[in-house]
Amino acid sequence: MKILIVGSGGREHALAWRLKQSPRVTQLMVAPGNPGIADLAECVPVAGDDVEGLVELARAERPHLVIVGPEVPLVMGLADKLRAIDIPVFGPSARAAMLEGSKGFSKDFMARYSIPTARYRRFTAEQTADAKAYLETFDGPPYVLKADGLAAGKGVVIAETKAEAEAEIDAMLGGKFGAASASLVIEEFMHGEEASFFALCDGETAVALAGAQDHKRVGDGDTGPNTGGMGAYSPAPILDAAMQQRVMDAIVTPTIDGMRQDGRPYRGVLFVGLMIDETHGPRVVEYNVRFGDPECQVIMARLAEDPLPQLLACATGGLAGCKRLERFSDPAVTVVMAGAGYPGEPKKGGVIRGLAEAGQVDGVTVFHAGTARQGNDIVGNGGRVLNVTATAPTLKEAVQRAYEAVDRIDWADGFCRRDIAWRALERG
Ligand code: AMP
Ligand code: GLY
């Protein structure tokens, strides 16, 4: 089979790496890919958000399946356009991708189907005073403000004081993120432990895939500003079999049923960001309509069987008749190496050496997330640059292997957190 993967990060490198091992895959193309992906697949220079270019590419190449990595092309309708020319797509339609593309849509959806989440209200620019008054209905800070639309991961603000929340209401409704913040969700702050849960869906049926946890803050001890994710591990101890079943029953199945009833059948991977505590059990922080990055890296590393039949069933139907992907090998961890300055403006262009040596550590694969090739050199070319991923019989050993590999990488401009998986390791 001929497979086309859309995207250029560590998530797409991990997907390509896993699918390359499938005996069914005869040709693997990635648009646009990256220098790490180029070692195992054919990279085509069409950007991940160039919907027309991607449709043209698919029309010319007729892949048997297109797997869309990032959310932006999905929200822009890439899956719809590919389905219109009879090309199977792993990824939701634009109408279903609104679960991630509009916070207001997803909150109203959850309210309608009694899916557990934080109490909220939506506001537009004319309702600035109401928005500020709504802050009074909470016990106090922190206040959670969310731009309705996609804002490159910056649209969620956790305000520590009322003054900060009020200023942010003015900024967002005043157009800080353009159309993305023309509408605002204000919601209750939820306490508990965060986890990421992934389910595969074909529009009718959802099956659990795996749980993971990531580290959003840039600094050790979960300090400093938020990032796209500085590391991840799977399985997540908090998402044991019983908790996964609760998440399926209370959240994932009602979501898939509700979307189907609303005429927005959901196909692809549903990524539910959860907050879990004793009192409320699992509640939805947010939906994402794609694999997490870097959660995908650890899930792909753990998969002991070929996921292609299931991914294909998500695209074409019949997931219920597919065997569930249950065979997982050892735990996995990924450590993100980022360019100095990230999540602000990262330093680019520094040469990275020792990648081959790092990849020789037992159980380690180094995924590229933001690299570029300069002659014979690989250089840093983004915020999150490398995802050093390791599996081992225990999570503790996986962490040791990952850091052993990190220490073999010679990159003056790079840094990473040194405490990835601390929460799971602390539990023993
Ligand atoms: P993102 O949407 O990935 O930029 O991240 C939003 C982050 O904000 C989540 O991962 C949570 O850590 C936090 N967050 C969002 N909504 C809430 C909430 N209602 N209560 C507590 N934390 C939240
Ligand atoms: N790691 C979180 C995300 O992909 O949104």
Side-chain angles (χ1 to χ4, degrees), residues 37-102:
I37 295 173
D39 287 340
L40 51 85
E42 185 185 333
C43 290
V44 191
V46 180
D49 58 1
D50 176 3
V51 170
E52 293 311 323
L54 291 166
V55 172
E56 278 321 301
L57 176 65
R59 199 192 296 277
E61 294 288 342
R62 306 294 315 175
H64 297 97
L65 178 66
V66 178
I67 299 170
V68 186
E71 66 279 10
V72 168
L74 293 166
V75 171
M76 289 167 75
L78 176 60
D80 308 78
K81 289 191 170 154
L82 292 173
R83 286 192 186 107
I85 55 171
D86 290 326
I87 292 181
V89 196
F90 179 82
S93 66
R95 277 164 57 77
M98 279 182 76
L99 281 181
E100 178 167 358
S102 165

Side-chain angles (χ1 to χ4, degrees), residues 132-156:
K132 290 178 184 171
Y134 187 61
L135 298 176
E136 304 291 343
T137 69
F138 298 102
D139 287 339
Y143 301 100
V144 182
L145 312 177
K146 300 184 170 182
D148 184 71
L150 295 181
K154 299 193 169 62
V156 176

